[in-house]
Amino acid sequence: MALPLTFNIALFSTLFFVLFTDVVFCNNGRRVGDVMDTEFGGFSVPLEHSFEVDDVAQFRVRGALVLKAGREPSVALTQNQLSEEDRAKLKEVAAVDGLYRIRVPRVFLQADRQTERQLEGYLTAFVRACAMVESHLSDVISLHTDVSGYLIGVSIVTLPGACRGTEVEDEVDLEVFNTTLSVMGPVNAPGPETALFLERMEMETEKKGKNPQEQKSFFAKYWYLILGGAIFLVVSSAAQPPAGGGSEQS
């Protein structure tokens, strides 16, 4: 009786260990800072950042842009927290007036167009690291697209944007990003006011049609003055005595 009981206990312990192992390591190898597409239930692209004391860019994952299906570009942002090591490094870069950089890949901001051909490379933007620190990681990231929804530019600004030398506590102010994300498409330039011009021309034509007097020429308007002036010149010429030549009498 004791042998089967011991065997059952051992078997139960083995099964529990296997199940516990599956639960703990079910992250599929995801480390802190890694971004997985399936994690967000849609297509996502990495948002990376770099801040180095020697100003040599070494990008690593900051978060992910989650692209949602639809005709209009719709993007959500998920971000990681800064580690203690990153917070210390960011303050070091800010102390030497270094740069804080971000980059995103060139993609369509539409989840249903990701099978189309993509251009290689990244789009990069930067701000002063001291502005990033003093803003307490509050920034505005704008994604600029063309008419087809293709990503052609990225920009970043901090709130506030100036560096004033304000002291910042690592644990309180440099842990969580406070980011506003916006997608900006092309803005149509104002076209020529052709319709307004044609409307004004029609109004002028109608106005002249209602007033035929304005259509007359200069001679038609002032013929009597011209005729009177001509008669006056003729009469004046006739009234003058003829010019006589001198004669000598011998």
Side-chain angles (χ1 to χ4, degrees), residues 28-243:
N28 297 321
R30 182 180 183 274
R31 297 170 299 175
V32 175
D34 287 349
V35 178
M36 301 295 294
D37 292 352
T38 56
E39 181 179 359
F40 309 109
F43 185 84
S44 64
V45 295
L47 169 65
E48 299 177 310
H49 62 175
S50 172
F51 44 96
E52 305 297 332
V53 176
D54 57 4
D55 203 31
V56 178
Q58 298 181 11
F59 287 96
R60 50 196 175 277
V61 174
R62 164 176 162 172
L65 303 174
V66 184
L67 312 181
K68 300 180 181 180
R71 297 183 60 183
E72 297 297 330
S74 179
V75 186
L77 177 63
T78 179
Q79 301 186 96
N80 302 320
Q81 295 183 354
L82 279 185
S83 64
E84 183 178 355
E85 179 183 356
D86 284 341
R87 294 197 296 267
K89 180 185 290 186
L90 183 59
K91 293 189 69 174
E92 291 178 7
V93 176
V96 298
D97 199 20
L99 298 179
Y100 176 86
R101 297 179 174 89
I102 63 169
R103 75 175 185 180
V104 292
R106 299 173 182 267
V107 295
F108 277 106
L109 293 187
Q110 295 177 350
D112 54 355
R113 300 190 62 178
Q114 298 309 316
T115 57
E116 300 182 20
R117 180 177 177 271
Q118 308 286 346
L119 293 178
E120 297 181 356
Y122 291 85
L123 300 168
T124 307
F126 64 88
V127 292
R128 297 171 65 186
C130 57
M132 198 69 185
V133 170
E134 295 185 26
S135 70
H136 303 170
L137 302 184
S138 298
D139 56 358
V140 178
I141 297 177
S142 300
L143 305 175
H144 304 269
T145 67
D146 60 12
V147 293
S148 64
Y150 194 78
L151 189 60
I152 59 175
V154 61
S155 61
I156 179 174
V157 295
T158 58
L159 301 173
C163 296
R164 300 184 177 89
T166 307
E167 285 293 329
V168 177
E169 297 183 13
D170 296 354
E171 296 77 7
V172 178
D173 301 320
L174 295 180
E175 187 175 8
V176 180
F177 286 98
N178 180 24
T179 302
T180 300
L181 181 68
S182 63
V183 179
M184 304 180 65
V187 179
N188 295 329
E193 299 180 354
T194 307
L196 181 59
F197 175 76
L198 294 176
E199 183 179 352
R200 289 179 179 176
M201 290 293 293
E202 292 177 359
M203 292 176 62
E204 291 292 333
T205 303
E206 292 177 0
K207 183 178 180 181
K208 291 180 179 180
K210 294 178 181 179
N211 299 290
Q213 187 69 22
E214 296 182 2
Q215 299 289 347
K216 295 181 179 180
S217 65
F218 177 80
F219 292 100
K221 290 181 179 180
Y222 306 106
W223 63 270
Y224 54 93
L225 295 177
I226 297 173
L227 181 59
I231 294 173
F232 175 77
L233 291 176
V234 172
V235 173
S236 299
S237 299
Q240 292 180 359

